[in-house]
Structures are given as C-alpha cells and as structure tokens.
Amino acid sequence: MAVENGERRKRPLLLRQAALAHRRASRLDPVVRGLLWAASAGLLFSVLNTTIRVLATELHPFQAQFLRYLASLLVMLPFVARAGLAAYRPHKISSHFSRGLVHTIGLVMWFMALPAISLADTTAIGFTGPIFIMLGAAWFFGERMRWDRWVGALIGFGGVLIVVAPKLTGSGGAFTLLMLASSPVFAASFLMTKALTRTESAPVIVVWQAITISLISLPLALPVWTWPNTFQWFAFLICGILGAAAHYSLTRSFTIADISATQSVKFLDLVWASLLGWLIFADIPNRSTLIGGVVICASTLWIARREARGSARL
C-alpha cells in the first residue's frame, strides 16, 4: 500500500517536471528549437542505423527495408486509431506517394551499400545531403542563403571529404559511391517533406511516409523473402519505434525553422555513429575519420552560434 501511495505521488511530480520542461523549451528561439529537434533526430537515426545494419547482414537489404517501415507503421497505428482516420487524411495524397517513391529509391541504394560500409563512414557520406538540401531550399523555396550558412556547410563538407576520400579506392569503392549517390535522392525527399509541412502536420507526414514506402517496398521484398526469427521481429519493432520518433523529430524541425538552418547540426551524427560503431561492431575510427570529425564538429558549433545570434537580433 505504501508503495502504491509513493507511486501516486511520483506521477504528479513527473508530470509537473515534464510540463515545466515543455514551457522552458517553448520559450527558446525557433531556430534553437529547430536545431534541438534536428539533433534529436540525428541521435535516433544513428541508433536506428546501428540496429538496421545488424539486420541487413542477416536478411536481404530489400526485406530489411520493407520490414523497417512496416514496423514504423504498426507502431503508429494505435495513435491513428485513437485520433481517428479523419485526423490523418492527407490534403493531397499524390504528393505523399511521390515523396514515398523518391525516398524508396534512395533507400534501395542505401540499404544495398549499408552492410559493406562502416557506420561512421555511412554517416559521413550522408553529410553531403545538406549541401544538396541547402541548394534546393534556396532554389525552390527562396530561403535566404546567408554567407555564414554557406561557410558552415562548406567547412563541414570539407570535413566529410577528409573522411570519405580514402574509402573511394579498393573493394569498397563501389559501395561507397552507391552510398554517395543516395544523398541527393534523400535531399530531394527532404525538400518534398518541407513542402508538405505547408499543408500537413508532422504526424500525418510520418504516417503516410510509412504507408507509401511499405507499399512501394513490398514488391522488392517478396522475391527475396525469408521468415525472420523472434529476435529479428523484436529488433524490427525497436526500429519501428526509433524510425517513427526520428522522422517525427526531423519533420518538427522543418516546421519550426528554415530547412537550411537545421542542416548544420546534422554533422553531429558522426559523433554518435562513431561511438555506436565502436561499441557494437568494434569499428575503430581511423585518423581521417577523427580529423574530419573535428572539422565537422567545429563547423557545427560555429554555425549554431551564428544562427542563435542572428535570430536574437531579429
């Protein structure tokens, strides 16, 4: 009985602390909040990619791709049922399917290369995406590309080249190029997501992403299907939770701040990927990865401070 009373007292305390944290976060500058959402998405994606890399070495990449997004859809179904189907009805369903098709093309390339490349290098190659995203955002959305955003992106990209360049030769070179080719495709998908945020909420975008990619990926998975074991089903469930949370965080960052402003913090993903790769796969980052990581982190911290100061002056 005493234990139950203690639990009851703890719940209001936790709720008050959560409400206080929410109020404090809401007072932050929109760009800072956008960067925090983007950083959270990066950490979640790094844990997700670590789990998926394990699964992609045990099952065919096409099947792993399908099950990863199917799991995300299953995780979100209780929320859809609670809010009602009307709350998740899209304004323009064709835009969601177009975005799902583009993202699936990028996923096919990414999943094919994933088992052959270390987690840190996979993440570093993905850092070319912000360059394409910033160019696309300036071209299609008219977002103002200040000089400090360009400098921060180019310095970060220089750090990426330090990491990636030594891997372009040897047996892994083809997989490295395949992974590199997926970056502009994902950039196009994220730009389409930004466009969708004008008319759709973050939950609607995330749910329909899972639906469209699952449907498009199913024909690829069926010819190579092998039945997953219990551990693999559980791992895919975890991937579903991580993927839904990561895409929600990323979409929230797009709704709060300019897409160009949030891309700088993406370079922090290399830190998470290097740590997880070392802990899970015993992948020890080499000198080029470490040097590139320092350059990337320096550019991230610099541009984040510039964004915060710039917003404070507005």
Side-chain angles (χ1 to χ4, degrees), residues 113 116-117 121 125 164 167-169 172-181:
I117 302 177
D121 292 338
I125 292 170
V164 173
K167 282 80 177 180
L168 294 178
T169 58
F175 292 105
T176 300
L177 291 175
L178 184 62
M179 182 70 72
L180 188 60

Side-chain angles (χ1 to χ4, degrees), residues 5 7 24 37 42 49 81-83 124 127 166-167 172 194 197 204 211 248 251 255 260 269 275 296 306:
N5 292 333
E7 290 294 329
R24 288 177 177 175
W37 277 111
N49 293 344
R82 182 179 180 181
F127 291 160
K167 282 80 177 180
K194 175 64 175 180
T197 60
V204 170
I211 293 173
Y248 177 82
T251 306
T255 62
S260 300
D269 296 0
L275 289 173
I296 291 167
R306 293 287 305 182

